[in-house]
Amino acid sequence: MLRSQALRVITDLIGDELVVSNLGDPSKELYHTRDRPENFYMLGSMGLASSISLGLALSQDRRVVCLDGDGSILMNMGSLSTIANLKPDNLILVTLDNGAYGTTGNQISYAAGLTDLVDVARACGFDHCLKADNTSELSEVFKGCLERRELSFIHATIVSDDNKLSAIPLDPIAIKNRFMDSIDP
Ligand SMILES: Cc1ncc(C[n+]2csc(CCOP(=O)(O)OP(=O)(O)O)c2C)c(N)n1
């Protein structure tokens, strides 16, 4: 499934959930798929979408959906252990795995090698781990996660779209402020 298709499936199912998206192409694609104040677009820090999502999930009740990348999960793998041990029941961590550092030119990541990120998540303590290899599977597992309140890890196998995405025309401070306002108006 293309990343744009995966994001379309997820954004079509999302209601008032807070969404934190990985830097680079995933954030740009989310912006172009469905921009909303409840989206926090990570613009610079690779690996930190999961950590920011954890902080958000722990500090308020609304559900948080983190849209991360395999490269970022590999870069900040310790975050999986922290999240699993703190177990916020309002966090769904979706790893959009293209087996590559897509944003910087598709250099192969070790998620395409010997490292299985679902095994890693399980070993870190995630009990509810699901896989989705196509849009109908993703729709089913994401719906299932929304219906229950439990820390969840979804591994979605994707391929990046080839089309060049234009930059998000929002100032980082504006992204932060409107996101914060949408949580606590
Ligand atoms: C700490 C840090 N290292 C490197 C980069 C450069 N960089 C930006 S996006 C990216 C690739 C991210 O890969 P992944 O998380 O798998 O997401 P994808 O782009 O494949 O969707 C890299 C290496 C960065 N922004 N920050």
Side-chain angles (χ1 to χ4, degrees):
M1 107 185 101
L2 294 169
R3 178 167 43 222
S4 56
Q5 294 172 318
L7 289 180
R8 175 57 66 200
V9 166
I10 290 170
T11 55
D12 280 353
L13 291 170
I14 272 174
D16 75 341
E17 286 78 13
L18 304 172
V19 178
V20 178
S21 56
N22 190 28
L23 80 169
D25 290 347
S27 274
K28 288 183 191 169
E29 195 126 39
L30 177 64
Y31 174 84
H32 292 295
T33 305
R34 185 177 166 204
D35 179 42
R36 56 206 268 281
E38 295 86 352
N39 294 350
F40 182 74
Y41 306 110
M42 174 62 72
L43 293 188
S45 303
M46 192 178 161
L48 291 186
S50 59
S51 304
I52 289 172
S53 298
L54 172 64
L56 262 174
L58 292 173
S59 59
Q60 51 81 59
D61 273 346
R62 260 158 87 176
R63 201 184 314 253
V64 179
V65 176
C66 177
L67 302 174
D68 218 337
D70 52 293
S72 288
I73 290 283
L74 287 167
M75 175 170 274
N76 187 15
M77 222 185 232
S79 178
L80 292 183
S81 178
T82 310
I83 293 169
N85 279 276
L86 293 175
K87 249 186 196 21
D89 63 6
N90 57 341
L91 176 58
I92 301 172
L93 176 49
V94 182
T95 300
L96 299 166
D97 186 352
N98 54 3
Y101 299 92
T103 299
T104 47
N106 276 319
Q107 301 86 357
I108 300 298
S109 87
Y110 289 135
L114 298 178
T115 308
D116 181 322
L117 293 178
V118 177
D119 286 349
V120 172
R122 284 211 180 95
C124 285
F126 279 78
D127 296 327
H128 193 228
C129 294
L130 303 140
K131 286 186 188 203
D133 291 337
N134 54 53
T135 50
S136 51
E137 284 175 13
L138 182 59
S139 175
E140 198 178 313
V141 300
F142 192 68
K143 248 187 243 161
C145 289
L146 289 175
E147 277 160 15
R148 52 205 281 163
R149 206 172 160 96
E150 180 180 354
L151 173 63
S152 302
F153 181 93
I154 298 176
H155 179 272
T157 303
I158 58 151
V159 289
S160 306
D161 299 37
D162 276 341
N163 46 334
K164 270 266 159 248
L165 296 157
S166 56
I168 297 171
L170 295 172
D171 182 73
I173 305 287
I175 294 173
K176 184 194 77 168
N177 287 343
R178 75 173 194 159
F179 181 71
M180 289 175 72
D181 287 347
S182 79
I183 301 173
D184 193 6

